[in-house]
Amino acid sequence: MSTPRPGRDSGLARGIQRITASSLGPYQSAVIRIGFSATYLLFLLRELPHRHEMYGPDAPWRWDMAEKLISNNQAFTTLMWSDSTVWFEIVYALALIAAALLLVGWHTRAMSVLFMAGVLSLQNRSIFMGDGGDNVLHLMAIYLVLTRCGQVWSLDARRAARRARAAGADGADGADRGVEPDGKAGGRRPVRGDVAGPLLWVAFGAVLIGATVTDSLGGTVWLPALFWILWTGQGAWWALNRYAPHSEPRTLLDVIANLAHNATLVVIMAEVCLIYSTAGWYKIQGTRWQDGTALYYPLKLDYFTPWPGLSDILASSGVMVMVLTYATVIVQVAFPFTLFNRRVKNVLLVVMIGEHAGIALLLGLPFFSMAMIAADAVFLPTVFLVWLGGRAALGRDLLFRARGQVPGPRDGAEDREAPQHSDSGGHTLVG
C-alpha cells in the first residue's frame, strides 16, 4: 500500500486554489482586449467611406446571395435580419461603439458580447472580404466573452478602485466591497447608482428574447446557448451581490467565472501556437520557402507594395531575402517548443512582433499585423506589461502637467502589484 505524499497533495491543492480563486494573466487579457478592440475600431473607421460596398447594400456579395449561403452554413449575422440601409447603418454604428467602449473597458462583459455580435455580423455578411487577420479576430472576439479582461487598465477597474477607496474611508472593508474589474460585483455589495449595468442587461434581454422567438440567432446550438448562459448568469450575479453577497452561490459563481477565464486563456495560447505551427509546417512543404525565395514574390506585387522603393531595395538583396524567408519558417515552427523556456520565448516574441511590424510596413497589411501582435501579447511577461503600464501612466501625468492640469489620484487597480514569480521555481507561460 503506497504511502501518502503530503508535498504533492499540498501542491495540487495550491494549484486548484490558484485557478479557482483568481483570474490569471490579468495584464495579458487586458492587452488582448485593448489590442483586438483597437484593431477592429481602426479597421471600421478606415472602411467607413466604403462600408456599403463591403458589407452593405452596394456590396458585390448581394444580400440575397448572402442569405442563401447563410441558410446553408447556419452562420450568425444580424445584418440578415433586414436588408434595410437604415438597419445596416445601425449595426455598423453599434459595432463601432462596442469596439470603442471595449477598448476603454466600460462594462466589459456587456461590451464584449456586443463586440462579438458586431464582428460576427459584419464578417459573416461578406465572408470573402476577410483575410488571416480577420479569422484571428473572429475567434478572439468569441474568446473575449469568456474572459475577465477588464481587471486592469479599464474604466471598470477605475470604478472598482474608487469604490474601494470610498468604502475604506467609511471604515468598511473596501477590498471586499468593490465592483469586480470586469463589471461584475466581485466584492460584497452592488454599486450604488450604477444604472448602466441593469439597463444594458434589460436591453440585451429584450433583443435576445426577440431573436430567439424569431429564430434569428443562426442555425448553431452553441451560440444561442452562450448568449442565454451569459445573460442569465449576469442577472444571477447581480441578484446575489445585492441580496446574498456572502452566500455560497455567490462564491460558486466567482469560481465558475475564474475557471472560464483561465480555461479560455489556455485556449487562446493554444490557438496562437496552432496558428504558428501550422503556418510554419505548411511553409516547409513549399518549394519557394525551401529555396529561400518566397519573400521575393510578394515584394514584386503592386498590391503588396505600399512603398515600392523600399520593397525594391529589399528584393534586390538575395541574401536578405533568403535570410528573412528562412528566419520566418524557423521562428514559426520553433515558437511552440520554446514556451517552457522563458528567455528563449521572450526572444522569439520580440522577433515575431518585429516580423509582423515589417509585414505591416512592407506588405501593407496593418490590421493583420495588429491582430497577430495582439494575439502574441498573451505570452508577454507580466513584469514587462506592468512596467509598460507604469510608463504609460507617467506619460499621462506629464501630459496633464504640461497642460496645466492636475491629474487625479491614480487608481489602485491600475497600480496593483503584479504577480511575482520566484526565479528558483517554475514560471507560467504568461509570466
Side-chain angles (χ1 to χ4, degrees):
M1 189 172 181
S2 61
T3 58
R5 299 182 178 181
R8 178 177 296 180
D9 292 343
S10 61
L12 178 61
R14 286 195 300 270
I16 295 175
Q17 170 69 16
R18 187 178 183 191
I19 64 174
T20 57
S22 62
S23 301
L24 304 178
Y27 294 94
Q28 287 80 5
S29 57
V31 171
I32 292 173
R33 183 198 86 233
I34 294 170
F36 281 101
S37 57
T39 299
Y40 204 54
L41 176 63
L42 293 175
F43 172 79
L44 293 178
L45 290 174
R46 188 192 73 171
E47 302 300 340
L48 192 62
H50 317 292
R51 63 190 184 280
H52 289 180
E53 290 78 15
M54 295 187 65
Y55 307 111
D58 300 330
W61 188 250
R62 300 191 311 270
W63 193 87
D64 59 320
M65 299 167 64
E67 185 180 37
K68 184 175 181 180
L69 177 63
I70 289 171
S71 66
N72 292 326
N73 64 15
Q74 305 298 315
F76 166 81
T77 170
T78 58
L79 289 178
M80 289 294 100
W81 294 2
S82 172
D83 60 353
S84 167
T85 303
V86 174
W87 175 244
F88 167 76
E89 298 289 0
I90 292 173
V91 173
Y92 199 92
L94 287 176
L96 269 170
I97 293 171
L101 293 179
L102 185 62
L103 174 64
V104 298
W106 183 80
H107 287 276
T108 51
R109 180 68 73 198
M111 289 304 108
S112 65
V113 175
L114 188 59
F115 178 75
M116 178 185 70
V119 171
L120 297 183
S121 294
L122 293 175
Q123 290 190 356
N124 289 338
R125 166 60 178 85
S126 299
I127 61 173
F128 299 109
M129 300 301 298
D131 56 20
D134 294 293
N135 293 334
V136 175
L137 180 62
H138 190 110
L139 293 171
M140 293 299 175
I142 299 173
Y143 298 153
L144 276 174
V145 172
L146 299 175
T147 63
R148 310 178 84 167
C149 54
Q151 298 177 93
V152 296
W153 301 338
S154 67
L155 295 181
D156 289 342
R158 182 182 295 271
R159 185 170 63 249
R162 287 176 177 172
R163 184 195 170 100
R165 287 197 299 268
D170 292 338
D173 292 332
D176 289 335
R177 297 193 178 187
V179 174
E180 192 90 334
D182 57 0
K184 302 184 290 286
R188 300 296 182 243
R189 67 183 183 188
V191 176
R192 304 297 181 188
D194 179 26
V195 298
L199 288 178
L200 286 171
W201 186 82
V202 171
F204 282 12
V207 174
L208 184 58
I209 292 172
T212 302
V213 170
T214 58
D215 195 22
S216 302
L217 293 176
T220 61
V221 175
W222 68 268
L223 188 61
L226 176 62
F227 280 138
W228 277 107
I229 290 172
L230 291 171
W231 186 73
T232 55
Q234 196 70 9
W237 198 296
W238 182 89
L240 287 172
N241 277 320
R242 185 173 185 86
Y243 300 109
H246 300 285
S247 64
E248 290 186 3
R250 166 64 183 79
T251 303
L252 177 62
L253 286 181
D254 204 22
V255 170
I256 293 173
N258 289 333
L259 286 173
H261 168 92
N262 296 331
T264 304
L265 209 60
V266 173
V267 171
I268 292 174
M269 295 177 189
E271 190 76 44
V272 175
C273 291
L274 183 64
I275 290 171
Y276 282 120
S277 60
T278 53
W281 286 108
Y282 271 113
K283 286 182 175 67
I284 287 177
Q285 302 175 46
T287 56
R288 294 293 177 263
W289 291 97
Q290 292 174 7
D291 61 25
T293 62
L295 183 61
Y296 173 84
Y297 297 98
L299 293 175
K300 289 299 183 179
L301 295 175
D302 293 339
Y303 183 78
F304 292 111
T305 53
W307 311 99
L310 186 59
S311 297
D312 289 341
I313 292 175
L314 181 58
S316 64
S317 174
V319 175
M320 183 61 67
V321 168
M322 182 185 66
V323 169
L324 292 177
T325 300
Y326 286 148
T328 299
V329 177
I330 292 172
V331 168
Q332 291 182 348
V333 172
F335 178 73
F337 300 99
T338 65
L339 294 183
F340 296 98
N341 187 309
R342 184 187 307 181
R343 292 181 177 84
V344 178
K345 176 202 73 172
N346 292 340
V347 170
L348 285 190
L349 272 177
V350 173
V351 173
M352 288 193 301
I353 291 174
E355 173 190 337
H356 290 304
I359 291 174
L361 178 65
L362 292 173
L363 302 183
L365 298 171
F367 299 110
F368 166 79
S369 298
M370 289 179 65
M372 290 308 304
I373 291 173
D376 293 342
V378 72
F379 295 108
L380 288 174
T382 300
V383 173
F384 169 74
L385 292 176
V386 173
W387 174 86
L388 189 64
R391 297 305 94 190
L394 179 61
R396 178 197 64 188
D397 294 344
L398 292 175
L399 180 62
F400 278 111
R401 193 175 303 162
R403 293 181 176 181
Q405 303 175 16
V406 179
R410 194 172 298 170
D411 294 320
E414 295 180 75
D415 299 327
R416 74 185 198 180
E417 184 178 357
Q420 300 297 318
H421 303 282
S422 172
D423 292 335
S424 60
H427 67 277
T428 65
L429 295 182
V430 297

